[in-house]
Amino acid sequence: MARFEMLEVGFGTMGATAQADILFELGMMYATGRDCDVDPVAAHKWFNIAAIKGSARAAELRSELSATMSKLEIAQALREAREWMTMH
């Protein structure tokens, strides 16, 4: 049984990496306006969630984006990210 559990350890991180990549792409979509309107609040939200899931690049872009946002926009993005995280 221990051998099986040792093999399972790697699968969890692979899924987390793939999920972080998808969330990062959502952030890029809203940051660049690809197939939608540019929405810095939504971009920040998705970059924040991707960063929590382990994406270092998302953390960098979230930081850069927040420098152009108001405190109210950042607060809204953080609220939305928290809500999404509690539902998923």
Side-chain angles (χ1 to χ4, degrees):
M1 187 62 141
R3 181 181 221 176
F4 181 74
E5 291 173 3
M6 290 291 289
L7 293 174
E8 288 286 312
V9 172
F11 291 121
T13 57
M14 286 190 332
T17 302
Q19 187 179 29
D21 291 343
I22 292 166
L23 297 167
F24 174 81
E25 286 301 320
L26 282 169
M28 288 299 294
M29 181 180 80
Y30 285 105
T32 62
R34 183 180 47 191
D35 298 327
C36 63
D37 292 334
V38 172
D39 185 345
V41 172
H44 188 284
K45 173 181 82 173
W46 293 117
F47 285 148
N48 191 41
I49 297 168
I52 291 168
K53 299 288 184 179
S55 173
R57 183 69 179 132
E60 293 172 15
L61 291 177
R62 177 192 59 197
S63 178
E64 289 178 22
L65 183 61
S66 65
T68 67
M69 298 170 66
S70 71
K71 289 181 182 182
L72 290 175
E73 289 174 319
I74 294 169
Q76 180 184 352
L78 293 173
R79 260 191 318 275
E80 290 178 12
R82 184 180 63 233
E83 289 170 7
W84 188 90
M85 293 289 290
T86 58
M87 293 180 5
H88 295 91

